[in-house]
């Protein structure tokens, strides 16, 4: 009991010190001086605890299919636009579809990307997630070319299908129930490792890289506490090992000019405009962009489908039609082609509904470059802005029964500018179309070769 009382006393003292520190900082560096503040019509809201703000409440775990208690309570109390103090900064939080669209469309003019410094610490200072300006445009153009529609058609479609068949074949040999999440992560990782580094699935170098990458990813989504034994510290070590491995490959390829590699690494090396450090960060970030969102989206898709067998039946009917058409028209070549992909209308509805309800990218970090007025509210220059896509995707004013998985809804409506599962504007995720293609091809072979009982049993 005495130990508990001592702990309480320590916590009280620490909170007191933090409050004093907060007041000193506030007096020395006011968010906006009193005369300016009286002139501004800030959104309603609550700034939370001194120094800590409301970050802990905002980041409390919740189901992907809900906006979370923090958003629900604040939207109910203050409306869809409110102020808070998150990630160490005064912040305007938006669940308003029009403000979210406005923020994304005015990237680089009124707002700019502004992620916490810890993101750059683990993804690298040349990460597309933290870069702004011309360097971001250049890095993004490389990623877009790598995952362009022409690349999807000419190369990636065949590789995705081959990796899908290898993955499903491996399931037949498993005696124990498999983890769908683990398998989808392996599937998307093996595909990206092939495209980026010419690594083949099942080889020791691929498995070693996968192990380090998965450790790295656990740290990316963990609390940024750089102490021994933490996920963040382990992730930093894995990041170093990954980059050291890629750097070694670069050195070997410079020596072996007689061997041609048709992958991303060799292409950016030949281009010659990026430094070694920039190439290493680019490789890690495209691996991150091309793997993580696809794996999470595919996992969520299978999760939803297993709850709705009638949807699986509709999917199977569509893919049986595609398979029969190929058998009749191209009996010697049953591989999927781009026309087959475009015929997967209901499959695209399933994918859209998965992205809407699952919310792979729930929000993004932005900062106001100058004072902005929207719908009568002022957003001061320097304040952070959080457009929360999940709150819009689950808004009953935009979607009937928004918490229900209903792919049929997309037969009656087109994706609007408020549908932003991978962000939007100049920073739209470059892996968006790749993720959709991976999901469609995987679903094609899954529903043709497995019944739902077999999938759930696995």
């Amino acid at each position: 009991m005495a130990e508990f009382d001592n702990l309480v006393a320590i916590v009280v003292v620490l909170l007191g010190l933090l409050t004093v520190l907060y007041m000193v900082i506030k007096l020395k560096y006011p968010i906006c001086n009193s005369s300016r503040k009286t002139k501004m019509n800030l959104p309603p809201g609550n700034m939370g605890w001194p120094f800590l703000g409301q970050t802990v409440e905002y980041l409390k775990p919740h189901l992907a299919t809900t906006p979370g208690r923090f958003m629900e309570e604040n939207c109910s109390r203050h409306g869809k636009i409110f102020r808070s103090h998150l990630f160490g900064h005064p912040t305007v939080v938006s669940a308003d579809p029009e403000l979210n669209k406005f923020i994304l469309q005015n990237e680089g003019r009124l707002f700019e990307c502004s992620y916490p410094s810890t993101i750059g610490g683990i993804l690298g200072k040349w990460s597309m997630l933290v870069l702004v300006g011309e360097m971001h445009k250049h890095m993004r153009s490389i990623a877009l070319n790598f995952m362009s529609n022409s690349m999807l058609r000419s190369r990636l479609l065949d590789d995705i299908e081959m990796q899908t068949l290898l993955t499903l074949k491996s399931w037949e040999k498993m005696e124990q129930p498999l983890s769908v999440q683990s398998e989808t992560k392996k599937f998307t990782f093996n595909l990206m490792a092939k495209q980026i580094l010419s690594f083949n699935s099942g080889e020791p170098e691929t498995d070693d890289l996968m192990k380090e990458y998965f450790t790295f990813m656990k740290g990316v989504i963990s609390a940024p506490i750089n102490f021994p034994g933490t996920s963040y510290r382990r992730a930093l070590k894995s990041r170093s090992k990954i980059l050291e491995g890629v750097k070694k490959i670069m050195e070997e390829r410079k020596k072996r000019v007689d061997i041609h590699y048709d992958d991303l690494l060799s292409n950016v090396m030949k281009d010659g405009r990026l430094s070694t450090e920039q190439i290493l960060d680019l490789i890690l970030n495209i691996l991150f962009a091309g793997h993580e969102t696809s794996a999470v989206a595919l996992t969520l898709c299978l999760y939803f489908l297993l709850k709705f067998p009638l949807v699986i039946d509709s999917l199977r009917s569509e893919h049986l039609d595609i398979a029969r058409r190929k058998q009749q028209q191209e009996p010697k070549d049953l591989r999927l082609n781009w026309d087959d992909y475009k015929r997967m209308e209901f499959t695209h509805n399933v994918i859209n509904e998965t992205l809407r309800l699952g919310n792979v990218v729930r929000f993004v970090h932005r900062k106001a470059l100058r004072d902005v007025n929207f719908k009568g509210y002022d957003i001061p220059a320097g304040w952070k802005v959080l457009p929360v896509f999940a709150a819009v995707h689950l808004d009953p004013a935009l979607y009937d029964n928004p918490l229900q998985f209903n792919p049929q809804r997309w037969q009656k409506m087109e994706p609007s500018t408020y549908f932003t599962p991978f962000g939007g504007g100049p920073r739209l995720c470059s892996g968006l179309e790749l993720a959709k293609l991976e999901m469609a091809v995987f679903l094609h072979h899954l529903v043709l070769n497995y019944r739902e009982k077999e999938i759930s049993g696995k």
Side-chain angles (χ1 to χ4, degrees), residues 70-240:
F70 175 87
M71 290 300 300
E72 290 171 346
E73 291 182 350
N74 277 279
C75 287
S76 175
R77 187 176 299 132
H78 306 298
K80 294 181 180 180
I81 303 173
F82 59 91
R83 74 176 185 268
S84 182
H85 197 280
L86 302 173
F87 305 101
H89 299 275
T91 304
V92 171
V93 182
S94 171
D96 184 279
E98 294 177 359
L99 177 54
N100 288 3
K101 178 183 176 181
F102 180 77
I103 294 167
L104 296 176
Q105 289 182 336
N106 284 280
E107 174 74 28
R109 294 187 291 272
L110 301 178
F111 306 93
E112 75 173 10
C113 182
S114 183
Y115 281 84
S117 59
T118 52
I119 295 295
I122 196 164
L123 290 180
K125 68 179 183 180
W126 299 107
S127 164
M128 283 184 287
L129 205 59
V130 297
L131 284 174
V132 296
E134 292 303 315
M135 196 62 210
H136 171 263
K137 291 180 182 178
H138 179 56
M139 291 287 204
R140 177 174 161 76
S141 69
I142 296 173
L144 286 174
N145 287 334
F146 173 63
M147 293 180 273
S148 65
N149 272 351
S150 61
M151 280 291 289
L152 294 179
R153 292 187 190 194
S154 64
R155 174 171 172 170
L156 285 167
L157 176 55
D158 285 344
D159 287 348
I160 290 169
E161 185 166 31
M162 181 182 69
Q163 192 58 53
T164 296
L165 294 172
L166 286 173
T167 300
L168 295 179
K169 187 70 175 177
S170 70
W171 290 8
E172 298 174 4
K173 302 174 184 178
M174 292 187 178
E175 298 179 357
Q176 299 296 325
L178 60 80
S179 164
V180 170
Q181 183 179 30
S182 175
E183 291 300 307
T184 56
K185 285 187 173 183
K186 289 179 184 177
F187 161 67
T188 54
F189 179 88
N190 284 325
L191 177 68
M192 294 308 296
K194 175 70 173 177
Q195 305 304 318
I196 296 172
L197 299 169
S198 294
F199 279 14
N200 295 314
S201 61
E203 294 184 354
E205 60 183 2
T206 310
D207 292 340
D208 290 343
L209 179 63
M210 186 189 302
K211 179 182 176 182
E212 295 298 342
Y213 177 78
F214 288 169
T215 301
F216 166 75
M217 274 310 307
K218 288 179 182 177
V220 171
I221 60 175
S222 70
I225 302 173
N226 192 9
F227 290 150
T230 63
S231 295
Y232 191 78
R233 171 66 69 88
R234 287 192 291 269
L236 291 174
K237 289 183 178 179
S238 288
R239 168 187 158 82
S240 296

Side-chain angles (χ1 to χ4, degrees), residues 27 67 87 168 173 273 310 330 408 410:
L27 289 172
F87 305 101
L168 295 179
K173 302 174 184 178
R273 286 182 287 175
L310 291 179
E330 307 168 77
Q408 282 80 6
W410 297 97

Side-chain angles (χ1 to χ4, degrees), residues 171-359:
W171 290 8
E172 298 174 4
K173 302 174 184 178
M174 292 187 178
E175 298 179 357
Q176 299 296 325
L178 60 80
S179 164
V180 170
Q181 183 179 30
S182 175
E183 291 300 307
T184 56
K185 285 187 173 183
K186 289 179 184 177
F187 161 67
T188 54
F189 179 88
N190 284 325
L191 177 68
M192 294 308 296
K194 175 70 173 177
Q195 305 304 318
I196 296 172
L197 299 169
S198 294
F199 279 14
N200 295 314
S201 61
E203 294 184 354
E205 60 183 2
T206 310
D207 292 340
D208 290 343
L209 179 63
M210 186 189 302
K211 179 182 176 182
E212 295 298 342
Y213 177 78
F214 288 169
T215 301
F216 166 75
M217 274 310 307
K218 288 179 182 177
V220 171
I221 60 175
S222 70
I225 302 173
N226 192 9
F227 290 150
T230 63
S231 295
Y232 191 78
R233 171 66 69 88
R234 287 192 291 269
L236 291 174
K237 289 183 178 179
S238 288
R239 168 187 158 82
S240 296
K241 290 180 181 178
I242 293 170
L243 298 187
E244 286 171 7
V246 176
K247 189 175 181 180
K248 185 178 179 181
I249 294 171
M250 291 174 64
E251 293 169 352
E252 291 173 351
R253 291 189 181 184
K254 288 176 182 177
K255 297 175 183 177
R256 298 294 306 273
V257 293
D258 56 314
I259 302 178
H260 174 69
Y261 293 93
D262 186 18
D263 56 30
L264 177 66
L265 178 60
S266 284
N267 286 333
V268 293
M269 287 175 64
K270 289 175 185 175
D271 181 71
R273 286 182 287 175
L274 298 181
S275 68
T276 298
E277 183 183 11
Q278 290 170 335
I279 291 175
L280 293 176
D281 278 0
L282 176 69
I283 293 299
L284 183 60
N285 277 263
I286 290 187
L287 180 60
F288 171 76
H291 163 268
E292 200 61 26
T293 50
S294 300
V296 173
L298 184 53
T299 300
L300 286 168
C301 186
L302 297 181
Y303 169 79
F304 293 138
L305 288 175
L306 290 173
K307 291 179 173 292
F308 295 91
L310 291 179
V311 176
I312 296 180
D313 290 342
S314 297
L315 264 180
R316 184 173 289 116
S317 176
E318 176 171 87
H319 289 283
L320 282 170
D321 286 343
I322 292 173
R324 291 190 194 102
R325 179 191 292 266
K326 293 192 70 64
Q327 187 68 45
Q328 293 170 359
Q329 298 179 354
E330 307 168 77
K332 294 183 179 180
D333 186 5
L334 298 180
R335 293 177 302 171
L336 290 171
N337 57 43
W338 198 254
D339 289 336
D340 299 326
Y341 174 59
K342 289 301 181 181
R343 290 191 185 99
M344 300 177 185
E345 294 182 6
F346 186 71
T347 303
H348 286 289
N349 293 342
V350 170
I351 291 171
N352 283 337
E353 186 67 352
T354 296
L355 297 175
R356 182 197 68 81
L357 186 57
N359 290 295

